Amino acid sequence: WSRIIPDGSRVNMKGIQYYSSLINKLHANNIEPLVTIFHWDLPQYLQDLGGWANPNIVDYYVRYADVLFEHFGDRVKQWITFNEPSVFCGEGYGYTTKAPAIASPGVGDYLCSHHVLLSNAKAYRLYKEKYFATQQGQVGICLNSGFNYAAPNVDPMVTEKAMEFELGKYSNAIFSKDGGYPQIMIDQIGAKSRNEGRPWSRLPEMSQADKDLIKGSADFLALNYYSS
């Protein structure tokens, strides 16, 4: 992204040429390219506007994805919209262990996740409506999660809750029958927000229109896991 549209709007053709040459070289060596659209390389211009906490990031992302589909979709048939959003949202906006290191736990990380889901959905719909007929590719998302086990004498629902907060935050909205955030997240974050005296939940509300947009917005799920 920072090579191709470094200022958020204008396309840098040298960046297009760089990746076009790379894709051609892969094909020349019988390597099928699987392209990740966003792997944490946000242009500084967009980060200065608030990054993934700013709702306008959705439109910027879809514009960027459109450019990639247009220029590379004739040779790329496998796309991943995002790599590990729970990491760059949770550790980049909830804590300071990943860029952009904005510590806003319980607020910024949920805004980031919400805008990622909308960006993924709109880019996916764009591809299906504008490019699929001629390019015949697939668009998916890469999530990450370990598996949690309950300690002795601990309610197994604690394990379920941990999985929902890490993996279900994204997978439930995209792959479940009803869509939206896991109910356990909605209930717990809403209750805690009320107890904190907040006028609304720290978890952004997902309208029915948003649920319908996001639901089914992936042809496949890629999963990274590093433990259990």
Side-chain angles (χ1 to χ4, degrees):
W1 197 343
S2 50
R3 268 198 181 105
I4 289 176
I5 314 180
D7 67 355
S9 57
R10 290 174 296 179
V11 176
N12 173 26
M13 291 311 297
K14 288 185 178 180
I16 295 292
Q17 292 162 10
Y18 173 88
Y19 287 109
S20 186
S21 297
L22 176 58
I23 291 166
N24 288 341
K25 182 65 85 172
L26 290 171
H27 278 292
N29 287 274
N30 297 314
I31 299 171
E32 180 70 23
L34 193 160
V35 173
T36 300
I37 296 174
F38 181 72
H39 194 152
W40 312 355
D41 53 338
L42 190 68
Q44 187 63 47
Y45 174 85
L46 297 180
Q47 186 57 56
D48 290 344
L49 295 178
W52 289 103
N54 182 346
N56 291 324
I57 194 70
V58 177
D59 292 333
Y60 282 110
Y61 177 86
V62 175
R63 154 72 170 156
Y64 163 53
D66 193 7
V67 170
L68 299 194
F69 297 150
E70 177 186 356
H71 288 278
F72 308 134
D74 58 329
R75 290 157 291 156
V76 175
K77 304 305 176 185
Q78 300 285 330
W79 297 93
I80 288 177
T81 53
F82 289 94
N83 178 73
E84 299 187 352
S86 67
V87 176
F88 72 81
C89 287
E91 297 187 44
Y93 290 85
Y95 300 96
T96 59
T97 47
K98 302 290 183 187
I102 297 172
S104 53
V107 178
D109 45 352
Y110 295 146
L111 288 171
C112 175
S113 298
H114 195 73
H115 298 146
V116 162
L117 284 168
L118 290 171
S119 297
N120 169 82
K122 289 190 175 185
Y124 177 86
R125 305 296 177 197
L126 172 74
Y127 184 84
K128 292 300 180 181
E129 294 167 7
K130 187 175 179 180
Y131 295 102
F132 179 75
T134 56
Q135 297 181 1
Q136 296 290 303
Q138 290 186 315
V139 180
I141 189 168
C142 183
L143 306 179
N144 68 288
S145 179
F147 189 83
N148 295 281
Y149 295 89
N153 303 316
V154 172
D155 184 351
M157 279 303 297
V158 173
T159 299
E160 177 66 18
K161 183 169 73 171
M163 294 299 299
E164 293 284 26
F165 268 75
E166 181 177 15
L167 182 61
K169 183 192 311 178
Y170 303 97
S171 61
N172 194 81
I174 297 172
F175 296 104
S176 74
K177 179 180 178 182
D178 297 327
Y181 291 116
Q183 193 61 46
I184 196 169
M185 284 188 67
I186 296 171
D187 293 344
Q188 179 169 313
I189 298 169
K192 286 193 172 185
S193 298
R194 288 190 296 273
N195 290 338
E196 294 164 357
R198 297 174 184 266
W200 54 75
S201 176
R202 289 184 278 101
L203 182 68
E205 182 179 359
M206 194 177 290
S207 68
Q208 188 59 51
D210 288 343
K211 289 181 184 179
D212 293 340
L213 176 73
I214 295 167
K215 187 170 58 176
S217 60
D219 295 317
F220 62 88
L221 167 65
L223 179 69
N224 291 342
Y225 61 97
Y226 308 93
S227 63
S228 62

